[in-house]
Amino acid sequence: VMVLAVAIVAGWWAGVVGARHRAATGADLAALAAAHAQVRGLAPCAEAVQVARRNGVDVVGCGVHEGAVRVTVAVPVRVDVMGRSWPVTVRREAWAGPVSPGTGQAAW
């Protein structure tokens, strides 16, 4: 019974950790693409949405503040334990943009 319980928890944990990594990577890529679009004079949040979709994540928040772009993404996961299933949403946030000259501090 103990081995079965450990196997169930390990499987659940692996699914959630995998979703966290996918969300973090998707958020980083979307934020970088959005910042690049911002510099080129394009719509940064539209670019973030496109890049996020290509990476299997959904943009749930996007904003620009002093030239820096902040992107929040979500990844839905279904956690299955002994025949029962629960929806879990993993969210991650990333930002990208210019650094304030001379301070080394980001605008956000």
Side-chain angles (χ1 to χ4, degrees):
V1 172
M2 187 63 140
V3 172
L4 180 61
V6 169
I8 290 170
V9 170
W12 172 80
W13 186 253
V16 172
V17 168
R20 271 187 80 191
H21 288 296
R22 191 172 71 181
T25 301
D28 288 341
L29 291 171
L32 288 169
H36 188 230
Q38 174 81 2
V39 169
R40 294 184 326 209
L42 303 173
C45 291
E47 186 68 22
V49 168
Q50 288 180 6
V51 169
R53 280 188 191 145
R54 286 192 299 251
N55 285 282
V57 299
D58 299 318
V59 173
V60 295
C62 181
V64 180
H65 179 69
E66 294 182 17
V69 181
R70 180 180 289 187
V71 177
T72 305
V73 302
V75 175
V77 180
R78 297 222 45 99
V79 177
D80 297 317
V81 178
M82 297 180 66
R84 297 185 112 184
S85 182
W86 293 275
V88 176
T89 302
V90 177
R91 293 178 185 249
R92 299 306 265 175
E93 182 178 272
W95 59 268
V99 174
S100 300
T103 66
Q105 298 294 315
W108 207 275

